């Protein structure tokens, strides 16, 4: 079992997930590194694995301040995670997004779809 704050490097893909303390029913993970063609599928699989655990979380919080890059497959992964959380009756937040991620979301027209009003902008 992975200790609470031990990062999971997703099989050497360049993206690490670090669980963060959260309220009961919330799964909060910090993303660090590049969400790209090498890590996108691994992230979706890992989120699906964690959503399948019981009791299932009612909120998945992705803390994005540590994302160094996000390409088109990274964006596709965020969209897929949105679909999977919706199917699991789990809310999704993408908090503390870096400016490059917000620019990508704006340019692709996905900002309104992917970002809720309660999500925290900017790194922290």
């Amino acid at each position: 079992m992975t200790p609470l704050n031990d990062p999971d490097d997703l099989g050497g893909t360049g993206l690490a997930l670090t669980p963060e303390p959260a309220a009961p029913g919330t799964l909060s993970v910090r993303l660090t590194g590049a969400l790209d063609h090498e890590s996108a599928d691994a992230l979706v699989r890992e989120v699906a694995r964690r959503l399948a655990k019981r009791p299932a979380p009612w909120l998945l919080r992705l803390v994005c301040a540590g994302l160094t890059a996000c390409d088109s497959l990274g964006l596709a992964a965020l969209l897929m995670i949105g679909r999977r959380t919706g199917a699991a009756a789990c809310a999704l937040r993408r908090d503390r997004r870096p400016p490059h991620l917000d620019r990508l979301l704006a340019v692709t027209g996905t900002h309104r779809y992917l970002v809720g009003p309660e999500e925290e902008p900017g790194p922290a």
Side-chain angles (χ1 to χ4, degrees):
M1 180 165 186
T2 304
L4 179 63
N5 291 317
D6 190 20
D8 178 354
D9 73 356
L10 294 183
T13 63
L15 181 68
L17 272 65
T18 306
E20 293 194 331
T26 298
L27 172 59
S28 183
V29 292
R30 182 173 5 107
L31 304 177
T32 306
L35 178 52
D36 60 13
H37 64 283
E38 292 185 21
S39 60
D41 287 341
L43 176 62
V44 172
R45 281 192 306 271
E46 182 60 19
V47 166
R49 185 183 72 77
R50 292 180 187 210
L51 288 175
K53 289 186 176 185
R54 297 293 175 241
W58 59 267
L59 173 63
L60 171 61
R61 185 171 176 252
L62 300 177
V63 180
C64 300
L67 278 181
T68 57
C70 183
D71 69 7
S72 61
L73 288 177
L75 177 60
L78 293 175
L79 291 165
M80 180 58 70
I81 290 168
R83 288 186 200 108
R84 291 196 181 220
T85 54
C90 179
L92 174 61
R93 290 179 55 171
R94 292 157 213 84
D95 288 335
R96 294 187 266 163
R97 297 170 314 280
H100 66 85
L101 180 57
D102 274 339
R103 275 191 304 276
L104 177 65
L105 299 179
V107 167
T108 59
T110 56
H111 192 277
R112 187 173 214 199
Y113 176 74
L114 282 175
V115 177
E118 71 285 352
E119 296 181 31
E120 300 170 9

